[in-house]
Amino acid sequence: MSITQTNQLLTFKLGNETYGIEINKVREILTYPVVTPIPDASRWVKGVINLRGEVAPIIDLRIRFSINNEPIYNEQTIIIAVKTQDARMIGLVVDEVSDMENVEMDKLYPAPDMGTSIAPKYLKGLFKKDDKMIVILDIDKILDKEEMQHLSRHSNEVSLNVHTASA
Amino acid sequence: MAAFDINKYRQMFLEETQDLFETIDSILLEAESYGDMDSDTINSLFRAVHTLKGNSASVELAHFAALTHEIEFFMDKLRNGELAFEESMAELLIDSIDTLKHILELELKEELEYEHFLTTKINLLDRLSSYTENTQTQIEEQNEPLDTPAFGLLLPSAKGIYGAIDTSCNIDYNEAVELECDGDFFGFFDDDEDIKSTSKDDDSFGFFDDVEIDDDFFGLFDDANTSKDEEYFGFFDDNIVQKKPDIALIKNEEKSVSPKENTKSKVDTNANSSIRVDLSKIDTLMNSIGELVIAHSMLSQYTYMMNDQKIKSDLNERLDLIDRYIRELQEAVMSVRMIPMETVFSKFPKIIRDTAKRLNKKIDFRHYGDNVEIDKAMIEGLTDPLTHIVRNAMDHGIESIDKRKAAGKSESGTLLMSAEQANGQIIIKIQDDGGGINIEKVTAKALQNGIIDEAQASAMSDDDKAMLIFAPGLSTAEAVTDISGRGVGMDVVMSNIKQLGGDVKVETEQGFGSTFTIILPLTLAILDGLNVRVGAEQFILPLSSIIETLKPESSMIKQIGDEGSEVLMLREEFIPIVRLHSVFNVIPQNYKLIEGLLIVVRSGAKKIALFIDEFMNQQQFVIKPLDKNFRNAHGIGGATVRGDGTIGLIIDTMNITQNTNRRAS
């Protein structure tokens, strides 16, 4: 799959890897606010915040894709607020926002079957900048409504008090 | 198919149609009760029906449009004096309008069978023609073109279609008694070949120009309609007037939109300077104001840190001014959401008339408080429960004419509906002067169905017992009628009203009737809530669900079963205890019930006691949906933005029990 509408990426870090999302999906970049936890949500759903008057969930991509299962949240923690194709506003927790990149279309590689922390079905492709590799995320796949519905509930394990807010 | 999305226009059409039907119904009901109609009324009636026809044809509801045309035609005769209004006509017309609604429903669901349509139409024509015997021939002339139900208005925005017109047939009915249109003459939209094949069957398509009616009415066909036409027999033999589509025609189409608007403004004089606005746009406005409030409070917070007293007080003064404007803005936007109760009440004369007819009872319906305003978003949720209560009151409450006479009451029962605003709530009452609720019967039924046990029954007051009618699966009707009595209904009424954040009460007096009182918050968007703390988390409990709060003593708590289910024994009543901390997965401050607090809340028809650590302040909250960007959570009914900008979660007491029930099972 290739990107045709946009050629600007916002790049950020999850662990040591650099990732990118199309800039037209991004609504806002904010520091980690006070998050209200949702009682029955999975660990990677940190809770909800007020984002421009809407109740928006905060999703930690690092936990979601097992990049860092015990992340810390402090003033340096960044949230990228994105708007999905079906107009849902969602905040993504990332380690640091790096830069803006112009995507050169002829340098976009298909996502490899293995070797990335995130399954290829969630990726749009790889982009090589100098000697760096940027993994371009498919936000609409990652935040797919159906998938969020059933993945975001914590499993039936007796998880007493596991995920009370660490924020 | 046509090149544009018809459903988009159908939505608009449906909204307008709803209004038109209401207008028509109220005119006809008035005519029925007065037994006469003046020419102005007939005119507005005609225009409403005419608009209905035009609109429906434009959204490709061919069958509906065809039937509407019959009625329009009939009304035209009334209008131009060919027919004199007779008392019985009102009933006929009311029935005809009902038929129209029925056909519309079927056609929208695409479940309309051709045979059914034809029978309906023939029946309708039979009844209509009983008044127009002398003008029978004319009716036939006019009817035939209607067998091609495909006339319509093109919405001006559907420009793409204009270009596709090749040739068109224009039929002037004043001249053309019988017509035959050869397919080659007609202009169609996408599938030319398709149409040609169907037009071999002598179908007629074309433009209608009802000069006689004096309103321009034009139609264009597309293949969706023509495929239906295949089933029609061609009645049209000669005298065809053909026209190539030219600029004049297209102009006419544009013109044809204007009578629609004229009609609307004449029919509905209240609406002459109003616009239809999507509720979501108002919500967006409300959101922006909410943001403004938060930004404002951040700024005022900031002034506390200032040292310069002069600047500080100047700034505060200006902040107060902004605050006032924000409040005014908020009120103005809220008022946009509000519409008068009249909109709700106006639906009932029709429902009551129909139900009364079927039950063979006489009902005198009166309503008060038409000008009380209610949140538009609430009306949808309110209409169903109200209708149910009204039908129930008519079916079970108000007695038959004979029984009423025997009881020394007037022949016709009285049904009162009123709305008033008090203490930031809307109170709607539905009062009947019927036989009242038979409390013994209700109690017996509730015992039989295991809804309550003997001990509970003996502890209950009469009012409590009357409230049992809201329990699921309870119907005391000896015979299940098609109006009410299936025992699914009153519990739905209760849950619908609860969903709106309201409550229903019933008072009844044997032999003298019952009064249903519905209490609703002024708006769906704002809720009175109590902040409760569990461990480090705070949740919001809707004030309307709270019965009482107490600090339990160990003697009041009983363990049931080995699972450790706990119940609160409160004045001979056993109330299941729900530990909020385990439902919401938080670490509580207290694990022992006696160290915390219990809040007894209503959960549907039952009571539950929620275990919390502490209750905090009481406040108004602006409700925001949780599932817009995420999904709903168990036990959570919605969210709100607190003063500090964080999100608070609102507890849904109904949902919480379902959750615990499931856990227990």
Side-chain angles (χ1 to χ4, degrees):
Chain A
M1 200 182 283
S2 64
I3 298 168
T4 47
Q5 293 118 335
T6 58
N7 51 10
Q8 276 213 308
L9 287 182
L10 176 73
T11 63
F12 53 87
K13 285 200 157 175
L14 297 176
N16 296 323
E17 273 183 275
T18 306
Y19 294 85
I21 51 177
E22 298 142 273
I23 194 76
N24 66 348
K25 300 275 182 200
V26 178
R27 285 291 168 277
E28 209 169 308
I29 295 169
L30 53 149
T31 52
Y32 199 77
V34 180
V35 176
T36 305
I38 297 286
D40 63 352
S42 331
R43 281 192 63 226
W44 48 269
V45 180
K46 300 313 298 174
V48 284
I49 63 160
N50 171 29
L51 211 62
R52 301 189 179 187
E54 288 189 18
V55 181
I58 298 298
I59 284 162
D60 196 325
L61 290 179
R62 301 168 297 184
I63 310 176
R64 171 79 172 82
F65 296 112
S66 305
I67 296 165
N68 177 358
N69 275 321
E70 297 298 331
I72 43 164
Y73 300 92
N74 56 26
E75 297 83 58
Q76 268 83 55
T77 313
I78 298 287
I79 287 175
I80 302 176
V82 295
K83 200 151 194 171
T84 59
Q85 222 151 34
D86 51 358
R88 283 174 296 136
M89 188 93 99
I90 293 167
L92 304 173
V93 186
V94 299
D95 277 323
E96 74 182 66
V97 170
S98 317
D99 213 344
M100 298 280 290
E101 296 284 355
N102 282 311
V103 182
E104 293 152 66
M105 297 310 292
D106 52 346
K107 289 192 178 171
L108 199 67
Y109 299 97
D113 283 343
M114 47 207 323
T116 48
S117 312
I118 300 176
K121 68 168 177 169
Y122 299 122
L123 305 178
K124 288 213 160 166
L126 300 181
F127 171 65
K128 266 186 187 147
K129 166 93 179 175
D130 305 327
D131 54 348
K132 274 189 301 180
M133 180 79 87
I134 299 170
V135 183
I136 303 171
L137 298 179
D138 189 338
I139 285 301
D140 290 307
K141 292 259 167 58
I142 293 174
L143 303 176
D144 179 72
K145 197 166 185 172
E146 299 285 305
E147 198 166 308
M148 291 260 292
Q149 288 278 347
H150 74 269
L151 275 186
S152 66
R153 290 186 201 280
H154 68 129
S155 50
N156 292 330
E157 82 214 3
V158 188
S159 57
L160 273 174
N161 319 321
V162 182
H163 63 283
T164 43
S166 44
Chain B
M1 272 315 286
F4 66 104
D5 181 14
I6 197 75
N7 288 323
K8 211 164 73 192
Y9 298 104
R10 280 197 179 167
Q11 194 48 47
M12 274 161 49
F13 162 74
L14 279 177
E15 280 173 25
E16 210 168 324
T17 303
Q18 201 91 41
D19 289 353
L20 283 169
F21 272 141
E22 270 168 35
T23 313
I24 294 171
D25 280 344
S26 65
I27 293 175
L28 286 175
L29 285 174
E30 207 166 302
E32 192 185 40
S33 56
Y34 287 115
D36 196 14
M37 240 201 277
D38 59 23
S39 63
D40 277 356
T41 326
I42 292 175
N43 270 329
S44 38
L45 195 61
F46 172 78
R47 276 192 301 268
V49 175
H50 179 71
T51 310
L52 205 57
K53 180 181 83 167
N55 289 359
S56 59
S58 73
V59 291
E60 297 176 1
L61 294 167
H63 294 83
F64 176 75
L67 280 192
T68 318
H69 183 91
E70 305 290 354
I71 295 169
E72 180 199 21
F73 180 69
F74 181 80
M75 285 176 183
D76 188 42
K77 291 207 176 306
L78 276 175
R79 192 178 66 143
N80 62 26
E82 273 180 55
L83 275 174
F85 181 79
E86 292 168 36
E87 228 180 302
S88 54
M89 275 184 193
E91 190 184 342
L92 163 68
L93 287 172
I94 291 171
D95 288 349
S96 312
I97 297 296
D98 283 349
T99 312
L100 278 184
K101 289 178 190 165
H102 171 68
I103 291 286
L104 175 64
E105 203 177 305
L106 288 175
E107 194 168 9
L108 281 173
K109 282 193 266 178
E110 292 179 357
E111 282 170 8
L112 183 62
E113 280 174 23
Y114 180 65
E115 270 82 47
H116 180 67
F117 169 70
L118 210 61
T119 341
T120 316
K121 193 179 142 189
I122 289 168
N123 283 343
L124 183 73
L125 280 179
D126 272 357
R127 293 191 61 184
L128 290 174
S129 62
S130 63
Y131 290 98
T132 55
E133 227 62 278
N134 48 347
T135 49
Q136 188 65 45
T137 44
Q138 242 171 317
I139 279 187
E140 268 163 25
E141 282 165 22
Q142 289 280 350
N143 285 344
E144 278 148 18
L146 287 167
D147 285 331
T148 72
F151 40 77
L153 293 172
L154 256 194
L155 292 173
S157 52
K159 285 203 179 85
I161 290 167
Y162 292 110
I165 304 170
D166 294 325
T167 45
S168 289
C169 173
N170 190 352
I171 301 155
D172 185 336
Y173 285 123
N174 297 324
E175 299 169 30
V177 176
E178 293 181 305
L179 306 160
E180 186 199 35
C181 287
D182 187 324
D184 288 335
F185 290 119
F186 309 120
F188 300 109
F189 307 19
D190 300 323
D191 297 315
D192 246 288
E193 284 171 45
D194 212 323
I195 286 136
K196 272 177 194 152
S197 67
T198 64
S199 58
K200 278 175 201 147
D201 301 330
D202 283 358
D203 299 326
S204 166
F205 315 102
F207 286 82
F208 289 57
D209 188 351
D210 280 349
V211 177
E212 189 195 42
I213 305 181
D214 208 312
D215 279 303
D216 296 319
F217 189 74
F218 301 95
L220 293 175
F221 303 93
D222 70 16
D223 54 323
N225 291 330
T226 56
S227 55
K228 282 172 202 146
D229 293 340
E230 216 169 0
E231 295 157 332
Y232 291 93
F233 16 88
F235 274 153
F236 318 103
D237 293 338
D238 345 85
N239 286 351
I240 183 159
V241 184
Q242 305 157 11
K243 256 192 218 166
K244 296 233 167 189
D246 50 24
I247 297 156
L249 255 179
I250 289 171
K251 262 193 194 155
N252 283 340
E253 277 155 27
E254 279 160 11
K255 225 169 71 193
S256 66
V257 179
S258 59
K260 201 155 89 176
E261 282 158 10
N262 289 345
T263 315
K264 179 136 182 82
S265 61
K266 280 177 202 159
V267 169
D268 188 3
T269 45
N270 297 332
N272 46 12
S273 61
S274 69
I275 53 163
R276 236 172 235 284
V277 184
D278 199 322
L279 260 185
S280 67
K281 288 189 181 170
I282 299 170
D283 288 343
T284 314
L285 262 177
M286 278 304 276
N287 278 344
S288 308
I289 294 169
E291 291 298 284
L292 207 56
V293 171
I294 292 163
H296 177 270
S297 68
M298 278 158 69
L299 198 58
S300 2
Q301 210 114 71
Y302 181 73
T303 61
Y304 289 118
M305 299 190 295
M306 292 172 80
N307 294 321
D308 190 324
Q309 288 304 317
K310 171 88 177 72
I311 297 179
K312 193 172 168 177
S313 72
D314 279 4
L315 193 61
N316 270 325
E317 213 172 282
R318 284 161 180 79
L319 274 172
D320 284 347
L321 206 62
I322 295 174
D323 182 58
R324 208 172 75 210
Y325 292 143
I326 292 175
R327 274 172 208 282
E328 276 173 24
L329 189 61
Q330 196 165 6
E331 273 167 34
V333 174
M334 282 308 297
S335 76
V336 173
R337 291 178 68 106
M338 307 299 259
I339 57 170
M341 272 303 284
E342 196 187 348
T343 336
V344 180
F345 288 150
S346 65
K347 291 179 170 60
F348 285 98
K350 176 77 170 65
I351 293 169
I352 288 169
R353 172 198 173 273
D354 291 354
T355 316
K357 262 216 152 90
R358 233 179 314 163
L359 292 169
N360 203 15
K361 289 178 184 177
K362 280 190 185 168
I363 311 285
D364 180 15
F365 174 63
R366 271 175 281 171
H367 50 94
Y368 303 98
D370 286 8
N371 294 326
V372 173
E373 292 196 316
I374 180 169
D375 193 326
K376 171 94 162 68
M378 201 139 19
I379 285 191
E380 270 162 46
L382 187 61
T383 310
D384 277 357
L386 279 182
T387 310
H388 202 92
I389 293 176
V390 163
R391 288 203 169 136
N392 223 60
M394 292 176 68
D395 197 6
H396 307 317
I398 292 171
E399 315 91 328
S400 62
I401 295 176
D402 294 341
K403 266 194 191 166
R404 288 187 69 89
K405 275 187 190 155
K409 291 182 183 177
S410 66
E411 225 174 76
S412 61
T414 310
L415 199 66
L416 292 180
M417 242 179 180
S418 67
E420 62 178 311
Q421 221 187 79
N423 304 324
Q425 287 176 319
I426 290 185
I427 297 160
I428 299 169
K429 282 189 178 163
I430 302 116
Q431 204 172 345
D432 69 66
D433 67 345
I437 295 167
N438 188 333
I439 289 171
E440 277 93 67
K441 217 152 111 187
V442 171
T443 317
K445 188 91 180 188
L447 283 170
Q448 184 193 326
N449 290 5
I451 296 163
I452 50 167
D453 56 39
E454 293 286 352
Q456 278 171 307
S458 57
M460 280 169 118
S461 70
D462 276 3
D463 281 349
D464 286 345
K465 283 177 184 164
M467 287 298 286
L468 284 170
I469 59 167
F470 293 111
L474 196 125
S475 175
T476 55
E478 281 128 17
V480 170
T481 66
D482 59 342
I483 291 158
S484 53
R486 282 180 210 87
V488 285
M490 291 318 266
D491 59 320
V492 177
V493 167
M494 182 58 104
S495 66
N496 281 1
I497 298 291
K498 288 272 171 188
Q499 250 167 30
L500 297 174
D503 200 5
V504 194
K505 282 191 188 106
V506 60
E507 289 158 274
T508 186
E509 202 175 338
Q510 196 88 56
F512 295 96
S514 320
T515 305
F516 287 86
T517 310
I518 298 173
I519 300 162
L520 291 170
L522 263 190
T523 163
L524 271 186
I526 294 174
L527 160 140
D528 274 303
L530 181 72
N531 255 317
V532 299
R533 186 177 63 83
V534 186
E537 298 298 327
Q538 284 193 18
F539 297 94
I540 296 150
L541 199 55
L543 222 51
S544 60
S545 67
I546 299 174
I547 299 167
E548 62 179 300
T549 57
L550 60 128
K551 195 153 178 62
E553 285 159 29
S554 49
S555 63
M556 296 163 85
I557 294 156
K558 299 270 180 285
Q559 298 278 338
I560 291 181
D562 42 37
E563 265 289 304
S565 319
E566 297 151 317
V567 291
L568 170 74
M569 205 174 80
L570 188 65
R571 296 184 289 272
E572 309 289 301
E573 212 176 341
F574 290 97
I575 302 167
I577 293 171
V578 176
R579 283 170 176 262
L580 220 50
H581 64 85
S582 48
V583 176
F584 289 152
N585 267 318
V586 292
I587 303 165
Q589 182 187 325
N590 307 304
Y591 279 100
K592 286 187 182 155
L593 290 172
I594 47 165
E595 284 164 6
L597 285 169
L598 286 174
I599 300 190
V600 181
V601 297
R602 259 185 288 272
S603 170
K606 283 178 283 184
K607 289 178 186 174
I608 54 170
L610 298 176
F611 177 57
I612 58 157
D613 284 327
E614 187 184 5
F615 59 77
M616 319 288 284
N617 59 324
Q618 182 187 322
Q619 206 182 319
Q620 283 208 327
F621 297 98
V622 177
I623 306 174
K624 287 172 187 287
L626 197 58
D627 60 342
K628 181 166 183 281
N629 293 310
F630 188 45
R631 58 165 171 78
N632 286 318
H634 281 306
I636 303 292
T640 187
V641 180
R642 292 178 187 274
D644 60 358
T646 62
I647 297 288
L649 297 178
I650 301 165
I651 299 172
D652 178 2
T653 52
M654 302 260 274
N655 197 345
I656 264 190
T657 29
Q658 278 159 18
N659 198 14
T660 41
N661 285 346
R662 212 186 46 194
R663 278 177 182 212
S665 64

